[in-house]
Amino acid sequence: MRNLVNILDLSTEEINGLVTLASDIMERPKVYADSCRGKILGSLFFEPSTRTRLSFTSAMMSLGGQVLGFDEAGSSSVTKGETVSDTVRMVSAYSDIIAMRHPKEGAPIVASEVATVPIINAGDGGHFHPTQTLTDLLTIHKKKGRFDNLVIGICGDLKYGRTVHSLIAAMSRYENVRFVLISPEELSLPDYVKDDHLFTGGCEYVETENLESAIPSLDILYMTRIQAERFESREQYERLKDSYVLNKSKLVMAKEDLSIMHPLPRVNEIDVDVDSDERAHYFDQAMYGRYIRMALILMLLGTEGIDDRRLDGKPRPGKSCHNPHCISRTERGIKKLFDEYGKCVYCDQYVE
Ligand code: NCD
């Protein structure tokens, strides 16, 4: 059984296969209209969502399958104190594949340990969001025609932006990809993303607070929302919320073939006057989400017999994860495990 918890669960060949399949689905949707007849997607959203949840629902329905689940934790037994493990164990018995979004980092890992059907991580706290990355990759393929030789500017909340972490993990595997990381210092990229992806991938990157001066060098500008719901203090969010606003005048020095992307929802960070610019690709990006998720569901349902569960780590006597958003702090009955560098296996944060 295959899961998609981290974008690196997929090889680059598998990603190419998904992009090709999604493109074929877009061209010939009727061919796939019955491919999941009789199959059920469990859609477990413990956190708000518009695009991800609805595009998963649309994807399963477009394949002839059905969907059950909930769209807020308040309507599930979580309010009665049920663990993620117990909820997922049950929904495994009612569905053939599960897409889940949860505010706790590492929750999909816990789910994949007990599930008897494939688990898809639809966003876990401020950690990862691999299916948004698949959507981003399909967009990059359609708009730029390549995954290599790109200068990618990522702007906004790089600390809590889970789409950013997964995008960097995916793109750092390609040749000559350079990142320009644009954020206030307080919202800069976490060390675990730098260590596991930028350093490991040997990727060049620069960090800056200045969007205007970065724009002329970019092939892609990936804007992100400041993640209000993850801040420890409202005051800090209020201070940082309008750090960046992309508007038409800031694009004067941009490349003619720049691709402006955003996982959406946007708040203030892209002015609506940019929407009419041919380089604004964020609504196409959201549209591609349906087709790449159709491809993903087909792939995961077609790989029965393979088991990729791997919770690889060791306990450290007397140590537990200090990340307040980590699932290991709230889920009862799971082992607290760390990798050889002292990172929690659930949320990837360093324990020391
Ligand atoms: C993103 C998310 O949920 O992380 N949205 C999405 O899935 N398209 C980005 C965000 O909420 O800012």
Side-chain angles (χ1 to χ4, degrees), residues 306-320:
I306 302 170
D307 193 339
D308 72 352
R309 265 183 285 218
R310 33 123 195 70
L311 198 53
D312 200 9
K314 290 202 173 89
R316 295 182 130 208
K319 294 272 188 236
S320 44

Side-chain angles (χ1 to χ4, degrees), residues 18 21-22 25 290-300:
L18 287 171
L21 180 55
I25 294 170
R290 174 182 176 191
Y291 301 101
I292 200 75
R293 288 182 173 98
M294 288 171 78
L296 178 68
I297 290 169
L298 285 175
M299 178 195 161
L300 295 180

Side-chain angles (χ1 to χ4, degrees), residues 45 47-53 101 122-126 128-129 131-132 135-136 157 160-164 222-230 262-267 269 285-286 293:
F45 279 72
E47 249 195 357
S49 173
T50 302
R51 271 149 294 271
T52 306
R53 186 174 66 81
R101 169 171 290 188
D124 61 324
F128 287 133
H129 193 346
T131 68
Q132 179 60 47
T135 305
D136 301 342
D157 189 345
Y160 297 116
R162 56 191 172 195
T163 69
V164 170
Y222 192 96
M223 296 296 294
T224 63
R225 174 178 71 90
I226 308 291
Q227 307 279 303
E229 66 276 34
R230 316 246 180 256
H262 191 308
L264 304 179
R266 79 172 138 185
V267 188
E269 58 282 354
Q285 187 183 351
R293 288 182 173 98

Side-chain angles (χ1 to χ4, degrees), residues 112-156:
S112 67
E113 286 295 298
V114 297
T116 53
V117 300
I119 292 288
I120 302 172
N121 177 5
D124 61 324
H127 190 210
F128 287 133
H129 193 346
T131 68
Q132 179 60 47
T133 299
L134 291 176
T135 305
D136 301 342
L137 292 172
L138 180 57
T139 310
I140 293 171
H141 174 79
K142 294 279 178 206
K143 304 295 183 186
K144 309 300 295 181
R146 64 183 193 277
F147 292 132
D148 52 9
N149 297 307
L150 290 167
V151 181
I152 306 177
I154 309 184
C155 176

Side-chain angles (χ1 to χ4, degrees), residues 21-315:
L21 180 55
S23 302
D24 193 51
I25 294 170
M26 285 172 77
E27 271 172 39
R28 307 184 302 149
K30 285 204 180 112
V31 172
Y32 299 89
D34 273 329
S35 312
C36 285
R37 178 98 26 229
K39 299 283 184 193
I40 298 173
L41 169 75
S43 169
L44 310 186
F45 279 72
F46 299 82
E47 249 195 357
S49 173
T50 302
R51 271 149 294 271
T52 306
R53 186 174 66 81
L54 295 180
S55 65
F56 263 118
T57 300
S58 170
M60 194 49 156
M61 288 175 163
S62 305
L63 293 166
Q66 288 175 294
V67 184
L68 56 76
F70 48 82
D71 55 17
E72 53 168 329
S75 58
S76 75
S77 284
V78 173
T79 50
K80 302 178 189 169
E82 188 165 60
T83 57
V84 170
S85 304
D86 284 0
T87 304
V88 166
R89 225 183 266 266
M90 290 303 99
V91 181
S92 277
Y94 309 147
S95 58
D96 301 286
I97 184 164
I98 293 174
M100 67 174 282
R101 169 171 290 188
H102 200 282
K104 293 284 176 191
E105 297 168 12
I109 298 178
V110 169
S112 67
E113 286 295 298
V114 297
T116 53
V117 300
I119 292 288
I120 302 172
N121 177 5
D124 61 324
H127 190 210
F128 287 133
H129 193 346
T131 68
Q132 179 60 47
T133 299
L134 291 176
T135 305
D136 301 342
L137 292 172
L138 180 57
T139 310
I140 293 171
H141 174 79
K142 294 279 178 206
K143 304 295 183 186
K144 309 300 295 181
R146 64 183 193 277
F147 292 132
D148 52 9
N149 297 307
L150 290 167
V151 181
I152 306 177
I154 309 184
C155 176
D157 189 345
L158 312 191
K159 180 177 180 187
Y160 297 116
R162 56 191 172 195
T163 69
V164 170
H165 306 160
S166 291
L167 180 65
I168 289 175
M171 291 306 296
S172 61
R173 293 199 288 196
Y174 297 101
E175 283 295 309
N176 195 26
V177 169
R178 282 182 290 135
F179 294 98
V180 182
L181 304 175
I182 309 155
S183 76
E185 204 186 338
E186 283 162 279
L187 298 180
S188 61
L189 198 68
D191 285 343
Y192 75 84
V193 183
K194 285 184 184 160
D195 292 353
D196 292 356
H197 306 299
L198 293 176
F199 293 135
T200 309
C203 267
E204 252 182 66
Y205 72 95
V206 289
E207 293 180 290
T208 173
E209 299 203 18
N210 193 318
L211 172 61
E212 280 93 325
S213 64
I215 283 180
S217 67
L218 305 178
D219 299 305
I220 293 171
L221 172 56
Y222 192 96
M223 296 296 294
T224 63
R225 174 178 71 90
I226 308 291
Q227 307 279 303
E229 66 276 34
R230 316 246 180 256
F231 279 69
E232 275 148 39
S233 86
R234 188 75 203 171
E235 176 278 322
Q236 190 195 25
Y237 170 69
E238 289 297 327
R239 191 161 37 79
L240 295 171
K241 68 176 184 191
D242 292 324
S243 298
Y244 301 101
V245 181
L246 182 68
N247 55 26
K248 258 201 155 125
S249 64
K250 290 191 185 133
L251 287 168
V252 170
M253 301 298 284
K255 287 189 182 171
E256 264 175 37
D257 64 346
L258 172 71
S259 187
I260 304 168
M261 297 173 61
H262 191 308
L264 304 179
R266 79 172 138 185
V267 188
N268 288 328
E269 58 282 354
I270 303 184
D271 197 294
V272 290
D273 75 0
V274 177
D275 296 0
S276 56
D277 192 300
E278 281 188 354
R279 295 166 291 187
H281 294 155
Y282 30 92
F283 293 119
D284 282 353
Q285 187 183 351
M287 181 265 293
Y288 292 137
R290 174 182 176 191
Y291 301 101
I292 200 75
R293 288 182 173 98
M294 288 171 78
L296 178 68
I297 290 169
L298 285 175
M299 178 195 161
L300 295 180
L301 286 178
T303 51
E304 278 159 34
I306 302 170
D307 193 339
D308 72 352
R309 265 183 285 218
R310 33 123 195 70
L311 198 53
D312 200 9
K314 290 202 173 89

